Amino acid sequence: MSFTRRCLGRSVPAVLLIVLIACARAPRPAVRPEPPFVQSMRQIVPLPASVEPEDGDPFVIAEGLAIVIAPGNDEVRGVAEHLRDLVAFPAQPEPRIEAAVSPIPDGSIHLSLADPDTPRAPESYELTITSRAVTLTAPDPAGLFYGVQTLRQLLPPALEHEAARPFELRLPPGRVADAPRFAWRGAMLDVARHFFDVHDVKRYIDLLAMLKMNRLHLHLSDDQGWRIEIKSWPNLTAHGAKTEVGGGPGGFYTQEQYADLVAYARARFITIVPEIDMPGHTNAALSSYPELNCDGVAPAPYTGIEVGFSALCVGKEVTYTFIEDVVTEIAALTPGPYFHIGGDEVKTLTDEQYRAFIDRVQRIVASAGKEAIGWDEIAPAPLLPATIVQHWRPESPLTDAVEKGARLILSPADRIYLDMKYDVETPIGLNWAAYVEVRDAYDWDPATLVEDVPERTILGVEAPLWSETIAGIRDIEYLAFPRMAAVAELGWSPAGRRDWDGFRARLAAQARRWAALGINFYRSPQVDWRH
Ligand code: TNX
């Protein structure tokens, strides 16, 4: 029997076989190189404050491209290198980075810090593209970095493939003037319920940076595992890191690895916010050190997903020695100004005990030179002026926090908890707060979410990704994308300019780039991904 018949089965009629064989032998059309393709300026996510596309010729990135910068600023050079790596053609000379020359030579990309005497919003940028040159100006290196992220979305998606690119890179002419709405555009990753290694966290950082996000909050401890080396309390990792939900091997970051993550994020203008959750969510610590328990008996490690059963012994002095050591060691590795103390879901303490504990721990954090952040349960406790409250429970009252002058981060669980399933079919995730489709994540306004909370008290938004049900970067990507793009836009774009239909269309235009990057994103039926 012929190969074709064996493969297709005995019942294939002979006529059909002839047609199939003829087609297989027909000469193929010559492979044509991809035509030079120019992206639209109207597809940028998050939506810029102002976009003015122009008619005219594109800017062509040719061999020998120069990226021109003012000398003497390492962060600006870092941004130029990031851009160079993005546009470098494999197997061709790298674009040059040159010290500023005047006038700017034709065919170059010019990055410059704006004159400090002209006031501009922090992290803002202005980008002008003509067929002659690209100029990007910002008041700070972060703004330049965000301008480069905009440039990235104006380059062909195929650029993201690591293979050689046989076509020119073209940028559409026009002007973008842009600035973020909120200072806090955050994501939180729970590395405690399941552990994610340095490689996975760096990948997450790369994806956040692309969306102009600027905070990554790491939930470093919980009942199921302790994830950062503390040299003065070594059993936290020798014992407390070896578990995770479902009984997997767990893991932890050495202090060197944590410092490496902090530096990697910083080079992408992302501040790491470390969280040690307390007094609850502490079974891993309690299991590692019997003296932290009121009865002096260490509980067994925990690999389930219940919450609220554990608490540090708030009446013992050793508890505060422990906290001071932990906070001091982590603070020393963390250049960012924040330290998250958790404070959520404590079911075994009286209100009085809880409030006294939160009061004392904020002072420890302040002595280590950091501003404390806590989940919204801390609102009724005495708060230091610098303390930030993170809203998460859809019904939680925030008047307490606002009256005390606290700044707020908004993470409403029924809108931007990325561990919520999209719908009943979603194979991973939880649904205690809601099913959260892309539109639910996008279609609300931070300024009107909670009554009587003025916009000036809102630092911004943050999307937590709890990891009870997820185990690797593919799961992270599936739950985070596309909803992270919605969160980025809530945090970045002016309220009056954005709407669901516009977002939906711009989101669809991201699909090719995300696919080229290998992102395992959820193809929500709410978005027409073919565009
Ligand atoms: C609530 S949000 C928690 C977490 C869980 C999460 C699951 C918060 C402060 N506490 O401990 O992982 O729900 O969605």
Side-chain angles (χ1 to χ4, degrees):
M1 200 191 323
S2 77
F3 171 81
T4 323
R5 249 186 205 282
R6 254 187 292 132
C7 292
L8 297 176
R10 279 161 203 267
S11 58
V12 178
V15 180
L16 183 57
L17 267 184
I18 291 163
V19 173
L20 277 172
I21 291 162
C23 288
R25 291 201 174 146
R28 295 194 181 165
V31 178
R32 283 209 311 238
E34 184 165 338
F37 173 74
V38 186
Q39 292 289 115
S40 159
M41 272 200 173
R42 300 215 180 272
Q43 294 179 335
I44 300 163
V45 174
L47 180 67
S50 139
V51 178
E52 294 166 29
E54 266 158 30
D55 294 332
D57 292 332
F59 177 83
V60 178
I61 295 185
E63 205 185 323
L65 170 77
I67 300 171
V68 180
I69 55 172
N73 184 315
D74 287 349
E75 284 190 303
V76 172
R77 172 161 274 274
V79 175
E81 286 168 359
H82 178 81
L83 174 62
R84 179 197 60 199
D85 295 347
L86 216 56
V87 298
F89 284 84
Q92 279 188 24
E94 280 190 338
R96 303 183 314 275
I97 298 177
E98 288 178 355
V101 276
S102 181
I104 303 305
D106 277 3
S108 62
I109 301 182
H110 184 208
L111 311 185
S112 66
L113 289 179
D115 173 3
D117 295 336
T118 338
R120 292 172 195 243
E123 304 181 289
S124 65
Y125 68 91
E126 281 178 27
L127 172 67
T128 306
I129 302 172
T130 69
S131 59
R132 271 197 53 232
V134 174
T135 54
L136 176 58
T137 312
D140 45 34
L144 290 178
F145 184 77
Y146 299 133
V148 168
Q149 300 317 310
T150 291
L151 275 177
R152 182 176 190 169
Q153 289 189 27
L154 297 176
L155 288 162
L159 170 86
E160 311 291 351
H161 282 296
E162 279 175 17
R165 287 180 252 122
F167 52 92
E168 282 176 346
L169 299 178
R170 293 168 168 230
L171 290 163
R175 199 165 163 275
V176 179
D178 204 3
R181 177 177 179 193
F182 291 110
W184 193 286
R185 305 178 302 279
M188 187 217 81
L189 185 61
D190 171 8
V191 297
R193 271 50 176 276
H194 278 94
F195 180 65
F196 302 99
D197 65 16
V198 169
H199 187 260
D200 285 353
V201 178
K202 286 185 174 175
R203 160 90 170 172
Y204 205 45
I205 290 170
D206 287 339
L207 300 180
L208 295 173
M210 221 166 60
L211 293 168
K212 306 185 175 88
M213 309 279 284
N214 66 355
R215 304 280 186 263
L216 176 61
H217 163 184
L218 292 174
H219 184 76
L220 290 166
S221 66
D222 213 302
D223 292 319
Q224 299 85 348
W226 185 280
R227 305 297 179 212
I228 182 163
E229 176 188 21
I230 302 294
K231 296 201 195 265
S232 53
W233 295 75
N235 216 34
L236 289 170
T237 45
H239 170 81
K242 293 198 165 141
T243 42
E244 60 185 5
V245 167
F252 68 94
Y253 310 119
T254 62
Q255 293 204 349
E256 290 68 27
Q257 287 174 324
Y258 175 79
D260 177 42
L261 277 179
V262 167
Y264 189 88
R266 197 177 192 188
R268 288 151 187 80
F269 299 90
I270 292 178
T271 303
I272 296 286
V273 179
E275 177 187 352
I276 295 297
D277 201 349
M278 51 191 153
H281 290 274
T282 39
N283 192 76
L286 296 168
S287 173
S288 305
Y289 286 98
E291 61 267 41
L292 298 176
N293 297 269
C294 288
D295 61 4
V297 179
Y302 182 69
T303 58
I305 65 166
E306 292 303 315
V307 296
F309 59 89
S310 58
L312 296 170
C313 188
V314 298
K316 276 187 173 178
E317 263 324 284
V318 65
T319 295
Y320 301 95
T321 309
F322 166 74
I323 293 170
E324 209 174 304
D325 290 344
V326 168
V327 170
T328 309
E329 285 196 35
I330 296 176
L333 299 165
T334 310
Y338 314 107
F339 192 99
H340 203 303
I341 59 172
D344 57 316
E345 297 177 316
V346 185
K347 297 185 186 156
T348 59
L349 300 180
T350 65
D351 285 354
E352 202 190 347
Q353 284 175 317
Y354 175 81
R355 290 173 194 185
F357 176 86
I358 296 296
D359 187 24
R360 190 158 172 190
V361 171
Q362 283 171 87
R363 291 168 205 283
I364 295 174
V365 169
S367 316
K370 302 296 178 195
E371 298 169 10
I373 308 176
W375 297 107
D376 61 35
E377 286 93 331
I378 71 164
L383 300 182
L384 289 179
T387 298
I388 298 165
V389 174
Q390 184 165 10
H391 167 69
W392 68 280
R393 294 171 299 172
E395 304 307 327
S396 73
L398 287 171
T399 29
D400 253 357
V402 173
E403 275 166 17
K404 291 175 190 165
R407 294 163 295 163
L408 300 176
I409 298 167
L410 301 183
S411 304
D414 54 352
R415 293 289 189 178
I416 55 172
Y417 261 33
L418 301 179
D419 60 315
M420 292 299 118
K421 291 176 182 244
Y422 293 96
D423 61 22
V424 274
E425 306 285 322
T426 314
I428 47 177
L430 301 172
N431 65 356
W432 65 263
Y435 291 109
V436 179
E437 247 295 356
V438 183
R439 184 170 187 166
D440 304 310
Y442 183 80
D443 217 355
W444 61 284
D445 185 45
T448 55
L449 177 76
V450 190
E451 246 174 72
D452 299 329
V453 175
E455 180 158 349
R456 71 189 140 71
T457 69
I458 300 170
L459 264 183
V461 290
E462 182 174 298
L465 179 45
W466 301 98
S467 62
E468 286 93 335
T469 66
I470 64 175
I473 189 71
R474 299 218 18 108
D475 288 351
I476 292 179
E477 289 173 6
Y478 185 75
L479 290 176
F481 281 79
R483 291 182 292 196
M484 190 64 83
V487 177
E489 191 149 314
L490 285 167
W492 183 279
S493 307
R497 271 187 41 82
R498 58 179 197 90
D499 63 56
W500 164 248
D501 284 330
F503 178 64
R504 204 176 150 258
R506 283 178 295 106
L507 202 52
Q510 306 303 311
R512 288 181 60 203
R513 184 173 314 274
W514 291 356
L517 283 163
I519 301 176
N520 180 33
F521 65 97
Y522 164 65
R523 289 179 185 261
S524 163
Q526 296 184 330
V527 177
D528 189 355
W529 297 104
R530 285 162 308 161
H531 284 293

